[in-house]
Amino acid sequence: MVAKTLYEKIWEDHVVTAPNEEPTLLYVDLHLVHEVTSPQAFDGLRLNARGVRRPDLTLATADHNVPTDPLSVPVMDPISRRQLEVLDENCAEFGITVFPRGHENQGIVHIIGPELGVTQPGMTIVCGDSHTSTHGAFGALAFGIGTSEVEHVLATQTIPQQRAKTMSVTIDGTPPPGVSAKDIVLAIVGRLGTGGGAGYVIEYRGEAIERLSMEGRMTVCNMSIEAGARAGLVAVDETTIDYLRGRPGVPAGDAFDEAAARWRSLVSDDDAAFDTEITLSASDLVPFITWGTNPAQVVALSGVVPSPDGVEDADEKNTITRALEYMDLTPGTPLRSIPIDVVFIGSCTNARIEDLRAAAEVARGASVKDGVRALVVPGSRRVKNQAEAEGLDQVFLAAGFEWREPGCSMCLGMNPDILTPGQRCASTSNRNFEGRQGRGGRTHLVSPVVAAASAIMGRFASPEEVRA
Amino acid sequence: MKPVHVLEGRAVPLERSDVDTDQIIPSDWLKRVERTGFGRGLFSEWRDDTTFVLNQPEYVGASILIAGPRFGTGSSREHAVWALMDYGFEAVIAPSFGDIFRNNSSKQGLVIVQLSLEDVEGLMAAVTDDPSRLIVIDVERLSVELPEIGWRRDFILDPMTQERLLEGWDDIGISLRRENEIARYEVTSRAPSLTDVFDASGHAVRA
């Protein structure tokens, strides 16, 4: 028997038809929907008198532009309000389960899928959002699609796809203390560059990945797209099975054991060949931070702002110069000396319960530096409730952080949580693009513990500095 | 989708690499539920700058955008394609593109032309020298030409994308012809139905 990668196994299991000269038609097991990339797709269905083929494999939530104000405050922006209403109307019309603002299951689409157990190993999962790669942590083939494709999946429950190339990224050994999943993925993106993964599905492997919790694996897979890869994967193991047991979407009792037995086969065969193989040593990892305007512009938190001098490639040199200008940074400046204005702890990258626990541990008993605005935005209502049950909200509030309602929030600045021009932000999100968090805003991507420490120190800082 | 055979127009040189979809259309514009009107938001963070290339009178009315490497990376927002097309662009020429952006473009009829870095730089220089120069993109022959200076290059499109552009085909219509195959697959599909997981108001049946 030919040895297969995990990607190839899931792919072959979902081929509806593979005609000559045409892309393969893949079946979609779960279609996640949110308010921003779906209205024009539903409109397209109506225009062509088409229905939703499998509303029972489709799940919708409000996340991208929901305000994170208390629920008693109405959605003030009329355009946002309309978009949220349109999602509810479309889901009612087509019989799709939807979690509107305030619903017990509402949250960022990539947080609620896993926590509800509807994200399962071996599935194909799509969503009109590039961070759909998050779900690959479960050994599911999950990738982002555009609105035309959303319409296509609604109408046919399938998606035409060209087979991707396969890449393995192996992190050997165990990382030093203080290195989080976020640091691992920042190192990977820094190594591959923003285009290095284009055309590939990446499988993350090695001891450092195996030792991560499911939430850590989600953080890693989440940012696959930042290296240009549409999907990331991690093989199923007992960590995966243990996470899923007892969640609402998974079967119970004997049926769970049967499912688990099947899921355990979702690993790449020992001698399966990848088109590209990359290895990083975990012992080389440190806490990382982005200094520039793309997620591959990564340096050690203990490092300095890089210089374009001596960079041979003209395009690369130009990119660095432009980024320095936009970020208002001088080469050679130690990152830890740079003052910040805002801290954002949230997003589909880092707003799960373990992220909040880690950040709260740093914030416990400390105070946010005067003049710094620090927001904590839980990824979902369930995460928020869990954090409150553990008293984490009180830790954050006592330290001077804002404790907000769940949503995508300042990760992409669609709701009122935005930076003002020139503000500098330590953010646990996934993109430091120009203007991403608000026009003229300057974003530095960091882990939850570095974000919390930076809030307290008023500059980029490691947790050790808080405790010192 | 309208069929596309040959495009002929002037081009704008956007001398930047890593132009992500957040730059093409900022998130503020994503709240709209319509499909039109996004052209006003195209590159909106840069449009206030009077020196920005799109604001130069000699490039008004250009229908081809020439950009640096990794154009359209990042967010999956198809609004980026709608914004480019609503503004009047019919094709983008660059050394490389974001995967999702490339896919989205093919669904809307925005022609994606990938050339080598040297060729893209050459084209940029040519239309910077003389913005009135016409570029011809032939989707049938898969070629880009600058007839005035006798410059011609071939480019690659996957056969399906090319055919769809030439015929103006709607993807969904094509896939719906596979109804029998889809129905046959569904018989053995293991995808768990969410009606067993959530009740009518979205509460989990098992907490």
PDB file of all heavy atoms in Angstrom, chain A residues 72-107:
ATOM      1  N   SER A  72     -26.283  45.190  26.970  1.00  0.00           N
ATOM      2  CA  SER A  72     -27.385  46.147  27.137  1.00  0.00           C
ATOM      3  C   SER A  72     -27.246  47.329  26.177  1.00  0.00           C
ATOM      4  O   SER A  72     -28.207  48.029  25.897  1.00  0.00           O
ATOM      5  CB  SER A  72     -27.408  46.660  28.580  1.00  0.00           C
ATOM      6  OG  SER A  72     -26.132  47.191  28.912  1.00  0.00           O
ATOM      7  N   VAL A  73     -26.027  47.534  25.656  1.00  0.00           N
ATOM      8  CA  VAL A  73     -25.812  48.635  24.709  1.00  0.00           C
ATOM      9  C   VAL A  73     -26.143  48.125  23.303  1.00  0.00           C
ATOM     10  O   VAL A  73     -25.589  47.117  22.869  1.00  0.00           O
ATOM     11  CB  VAL A  73     -24.338  49.113  24.743  1.00  0.00           C
ATOM     12  CG1 VAL A  73     -24.116  50.268  23.764  1.00  0.00           C
ATOM     13  CG2 VAL A  73     -23.942  49.497  26.152  1.00  0.00           C
ATOM     14  N   PRO A  74     -27.056  48.793  22.598  1.00  0.00           N
ATOM     15  CA  PRO A  74     -27.379  48.311  21.254  1.00  0.00           C
ATOM     16  C   PRO A  74     -26.219  48.517  20.276  1.00  0.00           C
ATOM     17  O   PRO A  74     -25.280  49.244  20.578  1.00  0.00           O
ATOM     18  CB  PRO A  74     -28.592  49.161  20.848  1.00  0.00           C
ATOM     19  CG  PRO A  74     -28.544  50.364  21.721  1.00  0.00           C
ATOM     20  CD  PRO A  74     -27.806  49.984  22.974  1.00  0.00           C
ATOM     21  N   VAL A  75     -26.288  47.859  19.118  1.00  0.00           N
ATOM     22  CA  VAL A  75     -25.260  48.057  18.090  1.00  0.00           C
ATOM     23  C   VAL A  75     -25.482  49.444  17.490  1.00  0.00           C
ATOM     24  O   VAL A  75     -26.492  49.697  16.847  1.00  0.00           O
ATOM     25  CB  VAL A  75     -25.359  46.973  16.993  1.00  0.00           C
ATOM     26  CG1 VAL A  75     -24.250  47.154  15.959  1.00  0.00           C
ATOM     27  CG2 VAL A  75     -25.287  45.589  17.612  1.00  0.00           C
ATOM     28  N   MET A  76     -24.544  50.355  17.750  1.00  0.00           N
ATOM     29  CA  MET A  76     -24.747  51.756  17.395  1.00  0.00           C
ATOM     30  C   MET A  76     -24.547  52.017  15.894  1.00  0.00           C
ATOM     31  O   MET A  76     -25.247  52.819  15.303  1.00  0.00           O
ATOM     32  CB  MET A  76     -23.779  52.660  18.179  1.00  0.00           C
ATOM     33  CG  MET A  76     -23.866  52.479  19.682  1.00  0.00           C
ATOM     34  SD  MET A  76     -25.528  52.776  20.325  1.00  0.00           S
ATOM     35  CE  MET A  76     -25.358  54.479  20.862  1.00  0.00           C
ATOM     36  N   ASP A  77     -23.563  51.350  15.296  1.00  0.00           N
ATOM     37  CA  ASP A  77     -23.264  51.596  13.887  1.00  0.00           C
ATOM     38  C   ASP A  77     -24.379  50.971  13.034  1.00  0.00           C
ATOM     39  O   ASP A  77     -24.543  49.756  13.019  1.00  0.00           O
ATOM     40  CB  ASP A  77     -21.905  50.971  13.556  1.00  0.00           C
ATOM     41  CG  ASP A  77     -21.545  51.085  12.071  1.00  0.00           C
ATOM     42  OD1 ASP A  77     -22.376  51.576  11.290  1.00  0.00           O
ATOM     43  OD2 ASP A  77     -20.418  50.674  11.717  1.00  0.00           O
ATOM     44  N   PRO A  78     -25.139  51.804  12.320  1.00  0.00           N
ATOM     45  CA  PRO A  78     -26.284  51.253  11.574  1.00  0.00           C
ATOM     46  C   PRO A  78     -25.887  50.254  10.496  1.00  0.00           C
ATOM     47  O   PRO A  78     -26.632  49.312  10.208  1.00  0.00           O
ATOM     48  CB  PRO A  78     -26.942  52.492  10.943  1.00  0.00           C
ATOM     49  CG  PRO A  78     -25.936  53.591  11.031  1.00  0.00           C
ATOM     50  CD  PRO A  78     -25.004  53.252  12.157  1.00  0.00           C
ATOM     51  N   ILE A  79     -24.703  50.427   9.904  1.00  0.00           N
ATOM     52  CA  ILE A  79     -24.292  49.495   8.829  1.00  0.00           C
ATOM     53  C   ILE A  79     -23.942  48.137   9.432  1.00  0.00           C
ATOM     54  O   ILE A  79     -24.300  47.088   8.898  1.00  0.00           O
ATOM     55  CB  ILE A  79     -23.105  50.069   8.026  1.00  0.00           C
ATOM     56  CG1 ILE A  79     -23.426  51.504   7.575  1.00  0.00           C
ATOM     57  CG2 ILE A  79     -22.809  49.218   6.805  1.00  0.00           C
ATOM     58  CD1 ILE A  79     -22.268  52.220   6.923  1.00  0.00           C
ATOM     59  N   SER A  80     -23.249  48.159  10.580  1.00  0.00           N
ATOM     60  CA  SER A  80     -22.949  46.895  11.270  1.00  0.00           C
ATOM     61  C   SER A  80     -24.237  46.213  11.726  1.00  0.00           C
ATOM     62  O   SER A  80     -24.398  45.002  11.593  1.00  0.00           O
ATOM     63  CB  SER A  80     -22.081  47.141  12.505  1.00  0.00           C
ATOM     64  OG  SER A  80     -20.804  47.576  12.126  1.00  0.00           O
ATOM     65  N   ARG A  81     -25.125  47.026  12.265  1.00  0.00           N
ATOM     66  CA  ARG A  81     -26.383  46.468  12.784  1.00  0.00           C
ATOM     67  C   ARG A  81     -27.129  45.764  11.654  1.00  0.00           C
ATOM     68  O   ARG A  81     -27.628  44.667  11.808  1.00  0.00           O
ATOM     69  CB  ARG A  81     -27.234  47.580  13.400  1.00  0.00           C
ATOM     70  CG  ARG A  81     -28.426  47.059  14.191  1.00  0.00           C
ATOM     71  CD  ARG A  81     -29.034  48.161  15.049  1.00  0.00           C
ATOM     72  NE  ARG A  81     -29.500  49.263  14.216  1.00  0.00           N
ATOM     73  CZ  ARG A  81     -29.209  50.543  14.441  1.00  0.00           C
ATOM     74  NH1 ARG A  81     -28.439  50.895  15.452  1.00  0.00           N
ATOM     75  NH2 ARG A  81     -29.679  51.478  13.642  1.00  0.00           N
ATOM     76  N   ARG A  82     -27.169  46.432  10.514  1.00  0.00           N
ATOM     77  CA  ARG A  82     -27.871  45.868   9.364  1.00  0.00           C
ATOM     78  C   ARG A  82     -27.233  44.534   8.941  1.00  0.00           C
ATOM     79  O   ARG A  82     -27.921  43.570   8.629  1.00  0.00           O
ATOM     80  CB  ARG A  82     -27.841  46.871   8.194  1.00  0.00           C
ATOM     81  CG  ARG A  82     -28.575  46.436   6.964  1.00  0.00           C
ATOM     82  CD  ARG A  82     -30.090  46.369   7.191  1.00  0.00           C
ATOM     83  NE  ARG A  82     -30.733  45.546   6.157  1.00  0.00           N
ATOM     84  CZ  ARG A  82     -31.629  44.605   6.399  1.00  0.00           C
ATOM     85  NH1 ARG A  82     -32.022  44.356   7.642  1.00  0.00           N
ATOM     86  NH2 ARG A  82     -32.159  43.912   5.417  1.00  0.00           N
ATOM     87  N   GLN A  83     -25.893  44.499   8.954  1.00  0.00           N
ATOM     88  CA  GLN A  83     -25.229  43.267   8.528  1.00  0.00           C
ATOM     89  C   GLN A  83     -25.542  42.105   9.481  1.00  0.00           C
ATOM     90  O   GLN A  83     -25.741  40.978   9.046  1.00  0.00           O
ATOM     91  CB  GLN A  83     -23.714  43.489   8.446  1.00  0.00           C
ATOM     92  CG  GLN A  83     -23.017  42.449   7.606  1.00  0.00           C
ATOM     93  CD  GLN A  83     -21.567  42.762   7.353  1.00  0.00           C
ATOM     94  OE1 GLN A  83     -20.814  43.015   8.280  1.00  0.00           O
ATOM     95  NE2 GLN A  83     -21.156  42.754   6.101  1.00  0.00           N
ATOM     96  N   LEU A  84     -25.615  42.414  10.775  1.00  0.00           N
ATOM     97  CA  LEU A  84     -25.953  41.375  11.758  1.00  0.00           C
ATOM     98  C   LEU A  84     -27.399  40.914  11.571  1.00  0.00           C
ATOM     99  O   LEU A  84     -27.696  39.714  11.643  1.00  0.00           O
ATOM    100  CB  LEU A  84     -25.732  41.908  13.182  1.00  0.00           C
ATOM    101  CG  LEU A  84     -24.260  42.175  13.528  1.00  0.00           C
ATOM    102  CD1 LEU A  84     -24.138  43.010  14.802  1.00  0.00           C
ATOM    103  CD2 LEU A  84     -23.498  40.859  13.691  1.00  0.00           C
ATOM    104  N   GLU A  85     -28.293  41.864  11.302  1.00  0.00           N
ATOM    105  CA  GLU A  85     -29.708  41.499  11.064  1.00  0.00           C
ATOM    106  C   GLU A  85     -29.840  40.634   9.813  1.00  0.00           C
ATOM    107  O   GLU A  85     -30.597  39.666   9.787  1.00  0.00           O
ATOM    108  CB  GLU A  85     -30.559  42.765  10.864  1.00  0.00           C
ATOM    109  CG  GLU A  85     -30.776  43.561  12.136  1.00  0.00           C
ATOM    110  CD  GLU A  85     -31.306  44.987  11.859  1.00  0.00           C
ATOM    111  OE1 GLU A  85     -31.517  45.345  10.669  1.00  0.00           O
ATOM    112  OE2 GLU A  85     -31.492  45.719  12.831  1.00  0.00           O
ATOM    113  N   VAL A  86     -29.059  41.002   8.790  1.00  0.00           N
ATOM    114  CA  VAL A  86     -29.142  40.253   7.524  1.00  0.00           C
ATOM    115  C   VAL A  86     -28.694  38.807   7.736  1.00  0.00           C
ATOM    116  O   VAL A  86     -29.274  37.882   7.165  1.00  0.00           O
ATOM    117  CB  VAL A  86     -28.309  40.970   6.429  1.00  0.00           C
ATOM    118  CG1 VAL A  86     -28.077  40.067   5.220  1.00  0.00           C
ATOM    119  CG2 VAL A  86     -29.003  42.253   5.994  1.00  0.00           C
ATOM    120  N   LEU A  87     -27.675  38.596   8.591  1.00  0.00           N
ATOM    121  CA  LEU A  87     -27.241  37.219   8.874  1.00  0.00           C
ATOM    122  C   LEU A  87     -28.396  36.432   9.495  1.00  0.00           C
ATOM    123  O   LEU A  87     -28.687  35.305   9.090  1.00  0.00           O
ATOM    124  CB  LEU A  87     -26.026  37.214   9.814  1.00  0.00           C
ATOM    125  CG  LEU A  87     -25.532  35.810  10.193  1.00  0.00           C
ATOM    126  CD1 LEU A  87     -24.896  35.101   8.996  1.00  0.00           C
ATOM    127  CD2 LEU A  87     -24.545  35.860  11.355  1.00  0.00           C
ATOM    128  N   ASP A  88     -29.052  37.047  10.497  1.00  0.00           N
ATOM    129  CA  ASP A  88     -30.161  36.352  11.160  1.00  0.00           C
ATOM    130  C   ASP A  88     -31.288  36.050  10.173  1.00  0.00           C
ATOM    131  O   ASP A  88     -31.852  34.955  10.167  1.00  0.00           O
ATOM    132  CB  ASP A  88     -30.709  37.208  12.316  1.00  0.00           C
ATOM    133  CG  ASP A  88     -29.694  37.354  13.444  1.00  0.00           C
ATOM    134  OD1 ASP A  88     -28.692  36.612  13.420  1.00  0.00           O
ATOM    135  OD2 ASP A  88     -29.897  38.206  14.328  1.00  0.00           O
ATOM    136  N   GLU A  89     -31.586  37.037   9.325  1.00  0.00           N
ATOM    137  CA  GLU A  89     -32.676  36.846   8.349  1.00  0.00           C
ATOM    138  C   GLU A  89     -32.334  35.737   7.358  1.00  0.00           C
ATOM    139  O   GLU A  89     -33.172  34.887   7.054  1.00  0.00           O
ATOM    140  CB  GLU A  89     -32.915  38.150   7.563  1.00  0.00           C
ATOM    141  CG  GLU A  89     -33.522  39.262   8.425  1.00  0.00           C
ATOM    142  CD  GLU A  89     -33.412  40.650   7.762  1.00  0.00           C
ATOM    143  OE1 GLU A  89     -33.057  40.726   6.555  1.00  0.00           O
ATOM    144  OE2 GLU A  89     -33.665  41.645   8.469  1.00  0.00           O
ATOM    145  N   ASN A  90     -31.087  35.752   6.879  1.00  0.00           N
ATOM    146  CA  ASN A  90     -30.691  34.727   5.911  1.00  0.00           C
ATOM    147  C   ASN A  90     -30.740  33.339   6.533  1.00  0.00           C
ATOM    148  O   ASN A  90     -31.177  32.384   5.904  1.00  0.00           O
ATOM    149  CB  ASN A  90     -29.286  35.016   5.377  1.00  0.00           C
ATOM    150  CG  ASN A  90     -29.288  36.133   4.345  1.00  0.00           C
ATOM    151  OD1 ASN A  90     -30.256  36.319   3.619  1.00  0.00           O
ATOM    152  ND2 ASN A  90     -28.195  36.893   4.288  1.00  0.00           N
ATOM    153  N   CYS A  91     -30.265  33.228   7.782  1.00  0.00           N
ATOM    154  CA  CYS A  91     -30.251  31.914   8.431  1.00  0.00           C
ATOM    155  C   CYS A  91     -31.678  31.427   8.681  1.00  0.00           C
ATOM    156  O   CYS A  91     -31.974  30.242   8.515  1.00  0.00           O
ATOM    157  CB  CYS A  91     -29.453  31.970   9.735  1.00  0.00           C
ATOM    158  SG  CYS A  91     -27.693  32.147   9.418  1.00  0.00           S
ATOM    159  N   ALA A  92     -32.576  32.350   9.052  1.00  0.00           N
ATOM    160  CA  ALA A  92     -33.978  31.970   9.262  1.00  0.00           C
ATOM    161  C   ALA A  92     -34.582  31.498   7.938  1.00  0.00           C
ATOM    162  O   ALA A  92     -35.246  30.462   7.871  1.00  0.00           O
ATOM    163  CB  ALA A  92     -34.767  33.151   9.829  1.00  0.00           C
ATOM    164  N   GLU A  93     -34.305  32.241   6.879  1.00  0.00           N
ATOM    165  CA  GLU A  93     -34.895  31.902   5.577  1.00  0.00           C
ATOM    166  C   GLU A  93     -34.435  30.531   5.073  1.00  0.00           C
ATOM    167  O   GLU A  93     -35.214  29.779   4.494  1.00  0.00           O
ATOM    168  CB  GLU A  93     -34.524  32.988   4.554  1.00  0.00           C
ATOM    169  CG  GLU A  93     -35.114  32.746   3.168  1.00  0.00           C
ATOM    170  CD  GLU A  93     -34.701  33.834   2.163  1.00  0.00           C
ATOM    171  OE1 GLU A  93     -34.293  34.943   2.596  1.00  0.00           O
ATOM    172  OE2 GLU A  93     -34.785  33.557   0.954  1.00  0.00           O
ATOM    173  N   PHE A  94     -33.151  30.217   5.314  1.00  0.00           N
ATOM    174  CA  PHE A  94     -32.605  28.985   4.747  1.00  0.00           C
ATOM    175  C   PHE A  94     -32.461  27.852   5.778  1.00  0.00           C
ATOM    176  O   PHE A  94     -31.880  26.810   5.482  1.00  0.00           O
ATOM    177  CB  PHE A  94     -31.252  29.268   4.080  1.00  0.00           C
ATOM    178  CG  PHE A  94     -31.369  30.098   2.815  1.00  0.00           C
ATOM    179  CD1 PHE A  94     -31.112  31.463   2.838  1.00  0.00           C
ATOM    180  CD2 PHE A  94     -31.761  29.514   1.617  1.00  0.00           C
ATOM    181  CE1 PHE A  94     -31.224  32.229   1.680  1.00  0.00           C
ATOM    182  CE2 PHE A  94     -31.876  30.271   0.450  1.00  0.00           C
ATOM    183  CZ  PHE A  94     -31.618  31.639   0.478  1.00  0.00           C
ATOM    184  N   GLY A  95     -32.960  28.072   6.995  1.00  0.00           N
ATOM    185  CA  GLY A  95     -32.976  27.000   7.988  1.00  0.00           C
ATOM    186  C   GLY A  95     -31.618  26.649   8.577  1.00  0.00           C
ATOM    187  O   GLY A  95     -31.327  25.485   8.858  1.00  0.00           O
ATOM    188  N   ILE A  96     -30.771  27.669   8.775  1.00  0.00           N
ATOM    189  CA  ILE A  96     -29.415  27.442   9.296  1.00  0.00           C
ATOM    190  C   ILE A  96     -29.349  27.846  10.773  1.00  0.00           C
ATOM    191  O   ILE A  96     -29.869  28.896  11.157  1.00  0.00           O
ATOM    192  CB  ILE A  96     -28.396  28.264   8.471  1.00  0.00           C
ATOM    193  CG1 ILE A  96     -28.356  27.747   7.024  1.00  0.00           C
ATOM    194  CG2 ILE A  96     -27.008  28.249   9.104  1.00  0.00           C
ATOM    195  CD1 ILE A  96     -27.652  28.681   6.065  1.00  0.00           C
ATOM    196  N   THR A  97     -28.705  27.030  11.591  1.00  0.00           N
ATOM    197  CA  THR A  97     -28.514  27.373  13.003  1.00  0.00           C
ATOM    198  C   THR A  97     -27.585  28.578  13.095  1.00  0.00           C
ATOM    199  O   THR A  97     -26.523  28.589  12.481  1.00  0.00           O
ATOM    200  CB  THR A  97     -27.889  26.191  13.765  1.00  0.00           C
ATOM    201  OG1 THR A  97     -28.765  25.072  13.653  1.00  0.00           O
ATOM    202  CG2 THR A  97     -27.694  26.527  15.235  1.00  0.00           C
ATOM    203  N   VAL A  98     -28.005  29.589  13.871  1.00  0.00           N
ATOM    204  CA  VAL A  98     -27.194  30.799  13.987  1.00  0.00           C
ATOM    205  C   VAL A  98     -27.083  31.208  15.454  1.00  0.00           C
ATOM    206  O   VAL A  98     -28.031  31.050  16.222  1.00  0.00           O
ATOM    207  CB  VAL A  98     -27.773  31.957  13.130  1.00  0.00           C
ATOM    208  CG1 VAL A  98     -29.207  32.297  13.534  1.00  0.00           C
ATOM    209  CG2 VAL A  98     -26.868  33.199  13.189  1.00  0.00           C
ATOM    210  N   PHE A  99     -25.901  31.688  15.817  1.00  0.00           N
ATOM    211  CA  PHE A  99     -25.685  32.205  17.166  1.00  0.00           C
ATOM    212  C   PHE A  99     -25.496  33.722  17.076  1.00  0.00           C
ATOM    213  O   PHE A  99     -24.399  34.213  16.809  1.00  0.00           O
ATOM    214  CB  PHE A  99     -24.434  31.577  17.786  1.00  0.00           C
ATOM    215  CG  PHE A  99     -24.445  30.063  17.774  1.00  0.00           C
ATOM    216  CD1 PHE A  99     -23.300  29.357  17.436  1.00  0.00           C
ATOM    217  CD2 PHE A  99     -25.598  29.348  18.097  1.00  0.00           C
ATOM    218  CE1 PHE A  99     -23.291  27.969  17.422  1.00  0.00           C
ATOM    219  CE2 PHE A  99     -25.600  27.955  18.081  1.00  0.00           C
ATOM    220  CZ  PHE A  99     -24.444  27.259  17.749  1.00  0.00           C
ATOM    221  N   PRO A 100     -26.582  34.478  17.309  1.00  0.00           N
ATOM    222  CA  PRO A 100     -26.460  35.933  17.233  1.00  0.00           C
ATOM    223  C   PRO A 100     -25.751  36.496  18.464  1.00  0.00           C
ATOM    224  O   PRO A 100     -25.492  35.767  19.440  1.00  0.00           O
ATOM    225  CB  PRO A 100     -27.906  36.418  17.192  1.00  0.00           C
ATOM    226  CG  PRO A 100     -28.782  35.205  17.279  1.00  0.00           C
ATOM    227  CD  PRO A 100     -27.930  34.044  17.661  1.00  0.00           C
ATOM    228  N   ARG A 101     -25.450  37.780  18.418  1.00  0.00           N
ATOM    229  CA  ARG A 101     -24.862  38.484  19.569  1.00  0.00           C
ATOM    230  C   ARG A 101     -25.680  38.166  20.820  1.00  0.00           C
ATOM    231  O   ARG A 101     -26.897  38.239  20.803  1.00  0.00           O
ATOM    232  CB  ARG A 101     -24.904  39.990  19.284  1.00  0.00           C
ATOM    233  CG  ARG A 101     -24.356  40.846  20.399  1.00  0.00           C
ATOM    234  CD  ARG A 101     -24.348  42.315  19.994  1.00  0.00           C
ATOM    235  NE  ARG A 101     -23.729  43.124  21.038  1.00  0.00           N
ATOM    236  CZ  ARG A 101     -24.282  44.206  21.581  1.00  0.00           C
ATOM    237  NH1 ARG A 101     -25.470  44.634  21.166  1.00  0.00           N
ATOM    238  NH2 ARG A 101     -23.650  44.878  22.519  1.00  0.00           N
ATOM    239  N   GLY A 102     -24.982  37.778  21.879  1.00  0.00           N
ATOM    240  CA  GLY A 102     -25.654  37.496  23.138  1.00  0.00           C
ATOM    241  C   GLY A 102     -26.024  36.033  23.334  1.00  0.00           C
ATOM    242  O   GLY A 102     -26.301  35.596  24.445  1.00  0.00           O
ATOM    243  N   HIS A 103     -26.013  35.240  22.272  1.00  0.00           N
ATOM    244  CA  HIS A 103     -26.371  33.814  22.366  1.00  0.00           C
ATOM    245  C   HIS A 103     -25.312  33.065  23.186  1.00  0.00           C
ATOM    246  O   HIS A 103     -24.127  33.388  23.121  1.00  0.00           O
ATOM    247  CB  HIS A 103     -26.471  33.223  20.963  1.00  0.00           C
ATOM    248  CG  HIS A 103     -27.109  31.869  20.905  1.00  0.00           C
ATOM    249  ND1 HIS A 103     -26.448  30.714  21.253  1.00  0.00           N
ATOM    250  CD2 HIS A 103     -28.361  31.484  20.546  1.00  0.00           C
ATOM    251  CE1 HIS A 103     -27.260  29.675  21.099  1.00  0.00           C
ATOM    252  NE2 HIS A 103     -28.436  30.117  20.671  1.00  0.00           N
ATOM    253  N   GLU A 104     -25.762  32.046  23.899  1.00  0.00           N
ATOM    254  CA  GLU A 104     -24.845  31.287  24.785  1.00  0.00           C
ATOM    255  C   GLU A 104     -23.703  30.614  24.009  1.00  0.00           C
ATOM    256  O   GLU A 104     -22.664  30.299  24.599  1.00  0.00           O
ATOM    257  CB  GLU A 104     -25.641  30.226  25.550  1.00  0.00           C
ATOM    258  CG  GLU A 104     -26.155  29.114  24.633  1.00  0.00           C
ATOM    259  CD  GLU A 104     -27.329  28.335  25.211  1.00  0.00           C
ATOM    260  OE1 GLU A 104     -28.085  28.934  25.979  1.00  0.00           O
ATOM    261  OE2 GLU A 104     -27.460  27.148  24.869  1.00  0.00           O
ATOM    262  N   ASN A 105     -23.899  30.344  22.720  1.00  0.00           N
ATOM    263  CA  ASN A 105     -22.855  29.688  21.926  1.00  0.00           C
ATOM    264  C   ASN A 105     -22.129  30.629  20.983  1.00  0.00           C
ATOM    265  O   ASN A 105     -21.315  30.196  20.170  1.00  0.00           O
ATOM    266  CB  ASN A 105     -23.460  28.542  21.105  1.00  0.00           C
ATOM    267  CG  ASN A 105     -23.922  27.401  21.992  1.00  0.00           C
ATOM    268  OD1 ASN A 105     -23.325  27.135  23.037  1.00  0.00           O
ATOM    269  ND2 ASN A 105     -25.007  26.755  21.605  1.00  0.00           N
ATOM    270  N   GLN A 106     -22.429  31.933  21.068  1.00  0.00           N
ATOM    271  CA  GLN A 106     -21.830  32.900  20.136  1.00  0.00           C
ATOM    272  C   GLN A 106     -20.336  33.071  20.425  1.00  0.00           C
ATOM    273  O   GLN A 106     -19.875  32.911  21.556  1.00  0.00           O
ATOM    274  CB  GLN A 106     -22.563  34.251  20.260  1.00  0.00           C
ATOM    275  CG  GLN A 106     -22.048  35.361  19.339  1.00  0.00           C
ATOM    276  CD  GLN A 106     -20.991  36.222  20.011  1.00  0.00           C
ATOM    277  OE1 GLN A 106     -20.896  36.254  21.229  1.00  0.00           O
ATOM    278  NE2 GLN A 106     -20.187  36.906  19.203  1.00  0.00           N
ATOM    279  N   GLY A 107     -19.606  33.391  19.393  1.00  0.00           N
ATOM    280  CA  GLY A 107     -18.186  33.668  19.563  1.00  0.00           C
ATOM    281  C   GLY A 107     -17.498  33.690  18.219  1.00  0.00           C
ATOM    282  O   GLY A 107     -18.155  33.564  17.179  1.00  0.00           O
TER     283      GLY A 107
END
